[in-house]
Amino acid sequence: MFQIRIHGRGGQGVVTAAELLSIAAFEEGQHAHAFPTFGSERTGAPVTSFCRIDQSPIRSREPISAPDALIVQDPTLLHQVDLFAGLGDDGYVLINSTRSFGDLGLEEFARRFRPERLLTVPATDIAREHLGRPLPNTVLLGGFSSLSGAVSIDSVAKAIRAKFKGSVADANVVAAEKAHEYVQRERTELAAHA
Amino acid sequence: MRKQEEGSRAVAEAVALCRPQVISAYPISPQTHIVEHLSDMVRTGEIDPCEYLMVESEFAAMSAAIGASAAGSRAYTATASQGLLYMVEALYNASGLGLPIVMTVANRAIGAPINIWNDHSDSMSQRDSGWIQLYAETNQEALDMHIQAFRIAEQVSLPVMVCMDGFILTHAYEEVDIPDQAQVDSFLPPFEARQLLDPADPVTIGAMVGPEAFFEVKYLAHAKQMQAMDLIPEVAGGFASVFGRESGGLLRCYRTDDAETIVVALGSVLGTIEEAIDELREQGVRIGAVSLKSFRPFPLAEVREALGHAKRVVVLEKTLAVGIGGVASANVRTALSGIQLNGYTVIAGLGGRSITKESLLRLFEAAGRDELKPLNFLDLKTDIVDRELARVHASGPSGPHEENILRDIGVVAAEAH
Amino acid sequence: MPDPPEQEVKLYQAGTFVVGNRLLDPDERSVQARTERSNTLTSGHRACQGCGEALGARYTLDAAMRATDGQLVATNATGCLEVFSTPYPESSWQLPWIHSLFGNAPAVASGVAAALRAQGREEVRVIGQGGDGGTLDIGFACLSGMFERNDDVLFVCYDNEAYMNTGVQRSSATPPAARTSNTKPLGGQPGNVFGKGKNAPLIAMAHEIPYVATATVAELRDLEAKVERAMQIRGARYLHVFVPCPLGWGSASHDTIRLARLVKETGLFPVFEAEDGEVTGVSKIRRRVPVEEYLKLQKRYAHLFGDPPNTKVIAQIQARADRNIRNFGLLPEDGEGADLPGEAGDIAGASPGAPDPVEEAEGETNLMRLLASTPPGPQ
């Protein structure tokens, strides 16, 4: 089983991100479960969503306390909420930021983990460029598919098209692919320097 | 057709396939997505003919369903928590009049304090209302149960509520197989009302019945639920032949045949419970679970048969009957009357508090050593409540507990909520 | 020899549209005068002698059945009408009828209408009914919801101004100063307080529904006509019928119709029609009377007529009547039958310096003018 936890704020599409991830996994013939925890307030409050992916049917209904991967849609949560709780040493972390892990004040923290699995991607900027809105969720999924390989970029694209229509879907697919490329490049660079 | 979609949407699609003619809707978290999807489907003509009434309260929602059903239309509504309570008078009216209304209850805690997250206090509070109550473990079962519910309701002339855990199921994206219209039509024939408001043959519905006849009328409602006890597994069997999967029925046993410890629960928590059971089984522990699907009528004989051979029974429930303890456990105890075994009640998950596999493992292990009390509270922060109780004891009446707890633990922390 | 001057003969009997009037065109005769009437609320029910509600319901439903060719379904709130008509195993209803709860008759009616629409049977119409308690208080939210959605329902409120079936407790329709079981003239308070009131017909009009009307059981043909008019219209409609309750009001059972007539003639109960939120017609007062003539027939106001009489409160009640007359234009324009008998200031016995409610009404009082006035024209 592969467990992903997504953190962000209300209005950033955190819940949708988990749903899309689950659809992407479904498209690949896997079982997937996505669900949120949230308050009844609307925008701005911290929101966490979860996605479990597995080859066999998923039965667990509890929140993910030991994630294999984290996606952080809003870096302002970084030093406010314990985002990394339960993350295993082999965990993947993808943070929406123009800055590096070091510049985010996470260098110390990052030492526990495998460096090639911790990346940032400027998802908001990519989103602004391709969607005209600072909505980073699909972008991050594109990056995530490269980072973790949990789902392919094609499946991410399929999921986007399942949920969105027309030009909105197109734009989101392009943005996701851009992030996918970006992360590919990052990983290649990291591997080269390793 | 296999899809990956939100539970609410799957339920809405299932309800649509049942060809309801009148849907009355009042929104309440966490049922909103169900009634929103249904509204869309009525607008686009996917459900046709169908009148969608946006009513002014849950009381009106059930009342409109009563009128519609009495006038011969298949009627549906959905609610949760406070909304269910607001329509209580109408719930009793619907069952008393024998109207086959189907309603989704997206299980949610009842305030005060106001809380939108999942537990079973809402539907459990209405267990005596005369409605048939079914509990779904998964979104697949939730959608399947709605299809079965219409058939059960119309055959036995009683309303049915299908209970599914709010947020945990309603807002979860999982794989579901949505049947096609032809399948549902073959399983669920058009509604034929037993009593009908029809100018061609006028009847009076809702007369005042005095002491000379009320008892008999009420008893007949109970008798009908007893009939439903036979009908529910029959319908589930029929469902399996048409749709090719097991769904519904009175209860489901998981690894109980040789179990010494059996856990009883309702709804989605069974998934996490099964994971814990599998882990313990790997260690050689003889443990199993029973998932209650029909809470009303309560399958006394089936429960007795499933549990009777165990050494101990742990009933894990998401309801607290303030002043006594468990609700489901009391009903289970009735089923086990005369049988010697250790019975434990565990109140868990109130107000949406997560039930984790880790906690369950600890719980089941303690149960195995018979170290549980008769009444237990899973993951209750006992230090906080003990301090609050001590404060009240020392200083007398002292305002709302919520306020005091905050003062006790200090400034509100930005922890997960 | 010149021809005698032509006299305009006013047939008084025709003017009042009494039941069974042989001088009327057949079309204008009361439904009750016809042998083919539905008897929708048939005999054998348990209403009190002189029950205004039973009378009103019988007229209303037979008119509605005639207007719809018998294609009618009724929903009924809990209350006197429901209780006295359906003591299991008997029922007085000869139409499809459902009683659900106290507060939901409008919502049940909405559900029935929706079902009929979904079944493609819109020729079958829906009528909801309830007393003032069930309609104005506990059922108000459902009523407003039905109005707002413009559901195709005629809702009829039989207003006897209190919760009669449970022992005469006050409702939001209970008029000021009236005695009820929980608004007794005790401790310095003469009956129900002078609140702002809850004017259901005006509230219905504020929803801008297609048709709103008020009626009384004194003008039964008018009531029937309004029901017939209502049934010609689709959408939400509201009919508020004033129905005296001899038991609850402490009035003689033979005074029911008289009281209904007096409540209109005092101006206390405006009789009018409205469409889409605007008044379209007012039933003028024929012979105006001071409120005392109405009040003193009811024991629920007996505490106002002690020794000495509570002239202050009576004046306040009179002022309300005067206000209605002004606001709705209840008096005929040419001043016929307009004025109260007696001198200004006589009737209410208002204290010196206080505003004279009688003077606020139109014109001077003139008993001689009243006695000399010609009979009123047709409505």
Side-chain angles (χ1 to χ4, degrees), chain C residues 10-93:
Chain C
K10 288 187 179 170
L11 297 172
Y12 187 74
Q13 277 192 304
T16 57
F17 296 116
V18 293
V19 172
N21 191 327
R22 63 181 175 79
L23 300 174
L24 278 177
D25 283 336
D27 276 341
E28 291 181 351
R29 293 182 199 172
S30 167
V31 172
Q32 292 302 308
R34 299 162 197 279
T35 51
E36 73 275 15
R37 67 179 183 269
S38 309
N39 274 328
T40 325
L41 176 67
T42 194
S43 57
H45 60 72
R46 317 289 216 257
C48 300
Q49 184 180 63
C51 172
E53 190 174 29
L55 180 63
R58 173 158 64 90
Y59 270 70
T60 300
L61 282 148
D62 280 356
M65 287 286 271
R66 175 154 182 262
T68 60
D69 260 322
Q71 298 298 296
L72 189 66
V73 174
T75 76
N76 210 129
T78 310
C80 270
L81 182 61
E82 165 261 325
V83 169
F84 71 62
S85 64
T86 59
Y88 178 88
E90 294 170 4
S91 169
S92 269
W93 298 104

Side-chain angles (χ1 to χ4, degrees), chain C residues 64 67-68 72 125-126 154 227-233 237:
Chain C
T68 60
L72 189 66
R125 311 298 300 281
V126 182
L154 166 62
V227 172
E228 284 158 23
R229 172 93 189 99
M231 295 316 276
Q232 283 159 16
I233 299 170
R237 294 145 285 139

Side-chain angles (χ1 to χ4, degrees), chain A residues 1 19 22-23 26 30-41 46 59-63 80-81 163, chain B residues 2 4 116-117 137-138 167-169 171-175 254 268 271-272 274-275 278 354-357 414:
Chain A
M1 187 184 294
E19 293 170 358
S22 79
I23 295 173
F26 171 78
Q30 306 202 68
H31 295 273
H33 239 189
F35 56 101
T37 66
F38 53 173
S40 54
E41 327 98 79
R59 293 176 299 178
S60 175
R61 295 286 177 183
E62 63 180 288
Q80 284 185 19
V81 181
K163 240 199 185 257
Chain B
R2 284 177 59 251
Q4 177 83 5
I116 61 167
W117 291 270
E137 285 185 51
T138 62
F167 288 131
I168 299 175
L169 288 183
H171 286 60
Y173 256 68
E174 53 194 78
E175 182 186 319
Y254 184 73
S268 64
T272 315
E274 279 187 22
E275 300 236 304
D278 285 353
S354 305
I355 300 174
T356 64
K357 187 180 69 173

Side-chain angles (χ1 to χ4, degrees), chain A:
Chain A
M1 187 184 294
F2 195 78
Q3 305 192 85
I4 307 109
R5 196 166 69 207
I6 307 177
H7 292 275
R9 292 188 185 276
Q12 292 173 343
V14 169
V15 176
T16 308
E19 293 170 358
L20 288 170
L21 203 42
S22 79
I23 295 173
F26 171 78
E27 292 292 336
E28 290 179 4
Q30 306 202 68
H31 295 273
H33 239 189
F35 56 101
T37 66
F38 53 173
S40 54
E41 327 98 79
R42 306 306 252 169
T43 49
V47 174
T48 310
S49 63
F50 309 99
C51 184
R52 288 187 167 97
I53 300 174
D54 203 352
Q55 297 298 338
S56 12
I58 298 165
R59 293 176 299 178
S60 175
R61 295 286 177 183
E62 63 180 288
I64 294 173
S65 52
D68 299 302
L70 289 175
I71 301 176
V72 181
Q73 295 201 182
D74 188 332
T76 67
L77 290 170
L78 274 170
H79 300 286
Q80 284 185 19
V81 181
D82 187 7
L83 301 177
F84 303 100
L87 183 68
D89 295 342
D90 290 333
Y92 297 89
V93 180
L94 186 67
I95 300 179
N96 173 20
S97 179
T98 51
R99 299 192 273 167
S100 68
F101 260 74
D103 292 340
L104 286 168
L106 294 170
E107 193 154 326
E108 186 70 38
F109 160 84
R111 272 194 258 267
R112 272 176 56 201
F113 302 94
R114 293 166 54 171
E116 72 277 15
R117 295 194 172 186
L118 309 180
L119 284 178
T120 67
V121 62
T124 303
D125 289 347
I126 296 174
R128 267 209 195 89
E129 196 192 320
H130 293 277
L131 307 179
R133 301 167 64 200
L135 204 51
N137 57 349
T138 52
V139 176
L140 284 165
L141 290 182
F144 181 72
S145 76
S146 168
L147 177 63
S148 68
V151 289
S152 72
I153 185 63
D154 286 338
S155 303
V156 171
K158 266 198 206 147
I160 291 172
R161 292 197 190 286
K163 240 199 185 257
F164 304 109
K165 301 285 164 244
S167 56
V168 172
D170 293 338
N172 274 282
V173 169
V174 167
E177 283 167 351
K178 284 282 180 257
H180 181 88
E181 284 160 28
Y182 180 97
V183 171
Q184 295 275 57
R185 281 199 305 274
E186 291 270 296
R187 289 172 61 223
T188 315
E189 262 181 54
L190 267 174
H193 291 292

Side-chain angles (χ1 to χ4, degrees), chain B residues 56 63 73 93 204-206, chain C residues 91 97 99-100 104 119 142 149:
Chain B
E56 65 285 356
S63 299
S73 282
N93 191 255
T204 291
I205 299 175
Chain C
S91 169
W97 181 95
H99 158 241
S100 173
N104 73 356
Q119 294 168 30
C142 289
R149 287 187 301 272

Side-chain angles (χ1 to χ4, degrees), chain B residues 56, chain C residues 106 135 139-150 203 207 209 236:
Chain B
E56 65 285 356
Chain C
T135 308
F140 207 49
C142 289
L143 185 70
S144 174
M146 184 273 277
F147 287 164
E148 187 273 326
R149 287 187 301 272
N150 200 30
I203 294 169
H207 289 72
I209 56 177

Side-chain angles (χ1 to χ4, degrees), chain C residues 197-217:
Chain C
K198 189 188 278 196
N199 193 317
L202 288 185
I203 294 169
M205 282 166 60
H207 289 72
E208 295 186 11
I209 56 177
Y211 185 73
V212 174
T214 66
T216 78
V217 290

